[in-house]
Amino acid sequence: MTPEEACSFLSDLINTSVVILNSPEAIERFCASNSFHTAQKSFTAHGIHNLINHLNGRNIVIYRDVLMMHMALVSVRDMPVIIGPYCTEELRDASVELLKRRFSIRNLSSKDFLSYRSRYKHCSNEDIIRNCHVLLKYTGGLKAETVDRFQDELPRRPEEWQYTRQNYEILVTERYKAETEMMECISVGDAAQAIRKYRYLHDNVRFMMSIGSAVNAGPASAAVVRTTIRVPMMNAGLPPVLIDQITGESSHNINKCRNREEIANENERLIRVACEAIRRFR
């Protein structure tokens, strides 16, 4: 399979742009199609060339820009290929405001920015890395041995906390509201709505971690989720032995998880099991 055919096929398969950057014109077209704000320094010809320079023929480059947009680069038969942009988390108005103030980004409309992000697929970096390996395999390229990660951040100001506190408080308030709503959904056995609220909580915390406003404690946070889910199960009248059995199994599964995404999947499974138990009990 030629690199062009493989890139076209992969792009259709994952619904994400996969482009060979084999000419200045291709780079210019990529930047013109995907750049949204002047803060995105690497969505320029100069910025793309800097990323390409990090390729050594045996690595994958994962890049995150200041507006939380991601790209992956890999060398296919000595030609740079870029996958993306793509998003790894959802942002909401409060998150965007916090991001703007954190990095002093001006002239950025939250509504327009969220509309821009909606054009791109949400997926994990791990999925994209697997796709890079598949691309190399079917084009006869050298197997990638390392993954190099880079991120672009604007200079931070020493007094940044005074600019972020108000929006940080908004995020915290939204998180507590969503947590309460998730518990209410579980208490009536509504798994779909409870998982929707959990995913908002997951994205909220992950965003705060990504800008340095929260600590990544995957297993510990899963323990908090289990405790939160126990409350509506107890309020619904489920026997303590059954609650302990359900949450104990989840705790065992969490210990085998290898990353945050697997932990999130286990938490969602726990929510579904809890809601099913409440529906059956009633």
Side-chain angles (χ1 to χ4, degrees):
M1 185 178 291
T2 67
E4 291 78 9
E5 291 171 337
C7 290
S8 177
F9 177 76
L10 182 60
S11 179
D12 290 341
L13 183 66
I14 66 175
N15 193 29
T16 302
S17 173
V18 183
V19 179
I20 300 175
L21 301 178
N22 57 351
S23 69
E25 292 76 20
I27 293 175
E28 289 291 346
R29 284 195 299 271
F30 175 83
C31 295
S33 298
N34 298 290
S35 179
F36 174 74
H37 192 274
T38 54
Q40 296 173 291
K41 302 301 183 184
S42 288
F43 280 79
T44 63
H46 177 73
I48 292 296
H49 280 296
N50 283 340
L51 291 175
I52 291 174
N53 288 337
H54 287 294
L55 290 173
N56 58 29
R58 300 301 293 268
N59 68 338
I60 297 169
V61 171
I62 298 293
Y63 165 74
R64 188 196 78 190
D65 85 341
V66 71
L67 295 185
M68 312 298 286
M69 302 298 295
H70 293 70
M71 298 182 288
L73 291 89
V74 64
S75 181
V76 176
R77 297 187 188 176
D78 294 325
M79 293 186 296
V81 172
I82 191 162
I83 301 178
Y86 58 93
C87 306
T88 63
E89 62 271 290
E90 285 190 49
L91 298 184
R92 291 170 175 78
D93 287 341
S95 302
V96 178
E97 288 302 318
L98 182 58
L99 182 69
K100 288 160 58 177
R101 291 179 182 270
R102 173 82 178 191
F103 299 114
S104 302
I105 300 174
R106 301 184 181 277
N107 304 319
L108 176 64
S109 161
S110 298
K111 180 180 179 181
D112 291 343
F113 176 48
L114 293 176
S115 177
Y116 159 73
R117 282 177 61 90
S118 69
R119 294 163 40 191
Y120 300 99
K121 183 177 179 179
H122 284 71
C123 56
S124 69
N125 283 322
E126 287 70 25
D127 287 339
I128 295 297
I129 291 170
R130 283 192 290 270
N131 289 324
C132 288
H133 286 297
V134 169
L135 182 62
L136 290 169
K137 178 180 178 180
Y138 286 97
T139 56
L142 295 174
K143 183 178 180 181
E145 297 178 342
T146 60
V147 176
D148 298 319
R149 300 172 187 266
F150 302 93
Q151 62 187 43
D152 185 18
E153 294 187 352
L154 297 178
R156 301 181 182 182
R157 292 156 58 156
E159 68 276 18
E160 66 184 16
W161 171 243
Q162 70 183 37
Y163 293 96
T164 65
R165 183 152 100 196
Q166 178 183 0
N167 294 285
Y168 176 83
E169 290 173 353
I170 292 173
L171 278 176
V172 171
T173 300
E174 288 185 355
R175 188 171 82 237
Y176 276 88
K177 180 175 181 289
E179 187 175 272
T180 300
E181 292 172 347
M182 182 184 76
M183 293 169 64
E184 291 172 351
C185 292
I186 294 173
S187 68
V188 297
D190 189 343
Q193 288 298 319
I195 288 175
R196 186 171 70 86
K197 294 298 179 182
Y198 167 74
R199 287 176 178 170
Y200 168 74
L201 288 166
H202 178 66
D203 290 338
N204 180 298
V205 172
R206 184 164 58 175
F207 171 75
M208 293 171 73
M209 289 191 306
S210 69
I211 63 171
S213 299
V215 176
N216 179 9
S221 66
V224 173
V225 171
R226 287 196 300 277
T227 301
T228 302
I229 293 173
R230 282 194 190 101
V231 175
M233 294 172 74
M234 293 172 61
N235 292 341
L238 264 64
V241 173
L242 178 59
I243 296 174
D244 187 70
Q245 178 184 349
I246 291 173
T247 56
E249 179 184 2
S250 182
S251 177
H252 177 73
N253 292 340
I254 288 293
N255 290 332
K256 297 186 292 185
C257 291
R258 296 167 295 180
N259 51 54
R260 289 201 307 269
E261 296 307 314
E262 290 186 0
I263 290 175
N265 290 337
E266 171 55 28
N267 286 336
E268 291 187 15
R269 188 200 68 82
L270 173 60
I271 291 172
R272 285 191 291 270
V273 171
C275 289
E276 175 66 16
I278 289 172
R279 290 197 301 271
R280 286 179 177 271
F281 183 78
R282 288 188 169 180

